Amino acid sequence: GAGVSQSPSNKVTEKGKDVELRCDPISGHTALYWYRQSLGQGLEFLIYFQGNSAPDKSGLPSDRFSAERTGGSVSTLTIQRTQQEDSAVYLCASSFGGGQGYYGYTFGSGTRLTVV
Amino acid sequence: LAKTTQPISMDSYEGQEVNITCSHNNIATNDYITWYQQFPSQGPRFIIQGYKTKVTNEVASLFIPADRKSSTLSLPRVSLSDTAVYYCLVGSGAGGNKLVFGAGTILRVKS
């Protein structure tokens, strides 16, 4: 597609349930990032994929969070046993190569997760 | 990763030029400076990127002094639709980079 696509756009889940968030990056972009943004806050880095290299998981807040990227394209962020503090907008971004590139990163519109 | 400092908020009026300055004292030799704009309920959008001196595109200008320890995003003749959060980031153009976002600057444009 022309942009980064994320689904679902909104997700309401009960505390303790698992959720999966999906990101379809721009075709050909080798780098993919997940960020989290709580209400009124800046973006918090979660995880970074670059090609076939091992992902940089340094931003994942706990072992309840995991992500995978299949075939170097689509990525899924999984949150197990969701807690209310997990409520946030989860943003995915992709870029051509690992650096910022001339046009920087392209972000999706995010998935708004609400844990009740 | 170089840390950035920007004003928390700024107010302006339609038609005025707005300059938002970002400090990045620990910028590395191979770091680029990139600005993003974020509207409510949307992901950040790339505005402009530079390494040194001045860069201009159809949206904004970016001024970077010789020591590169700061940069200024200039928005000419702002309109109400420019009300957004603006983020300044620095990072390497090489592989393995991850962007670290600060709190950004909330720009409010009034009529």
Side-chain angles (χ1 to χ4, degrees), chain B residues 11-101:
Chain B
D11 291 333
S12 182
Y13 289 91
E14 287 188 288
Q16 289 186 333
E17 177 184 81
V18 171
N19 296 308
I20 306 174
T21 297
C22 178
S23 297
H24 28 79
N25 293 317
N26 298 322
I27 190 169
T29 302
N30 57 350
D31 281 344
Y32 285 76
I33 300 157
T34 312
W35 286 79
Y36 288 81
Q37 175 191 57
Q38 186 179 27
F39 297 113
S41 301
Q42 295 185 24
R45 181 177 74 102
F46 173 92
I47 301 175
I48 197 166
Q49 182 181 75
Y51 183 80
K52 61 181 179 180
T53 64
K54 176 184 175 181
V55 179
T56 297
N57 61 23
E58 65 277 7
V59 176
S61 293
L62 179 60
F63 299 91
I64 305 169
D67 65 6
R68 302 200 328 122
K69 294 184 182 298
S70 67
S71 58
T72 298
L73 174 72
S74 181
L75 304 172
R77 299 178 299 281
V78 294
S79 64
L80 295 175
S81 62
D82 292 317
T83 295
V85 179
Y86 292 82
Y87 296 96
C88 161
L89 296 97
V90 294
S92 170
N97 179 49
K98 66 186 182 189
L99 295 181
V100 177
F101 284 77

Side-chain angles (χ1 to χ4, degrees), chain A residues 43-102:
Chain A
L43 281 77
E44 174 189 4
F45 167 79
L46 296 177
I47 189 169
Y48 159 55
F49 295 90
Q50 170 56 37
N52 295 320
S53 302
D56 177 349
K57 305 178 182 179
S58 60
L60 294 179
S62 76
D63 58 7
R64 295 186 295 105
F65 288 73
S66 63
E68 64 176 19
R69 188 179 185 191
T70 56
S73 180
V74 173
S75 177
T76 302
L77 176 69
T78 301
I79 308 173
Q80 296 178 313
R81 305 180 303 283
T82 52
Q83 302 296 314
Q84 289 186 328
E85 60 263 29
D86 299 334
S87 296
V89 175
Y90 289 81
L91 290 158
C92 175
S94 70
S95 73
F96 181 73
Q100 297 189 58
Y102 186 74

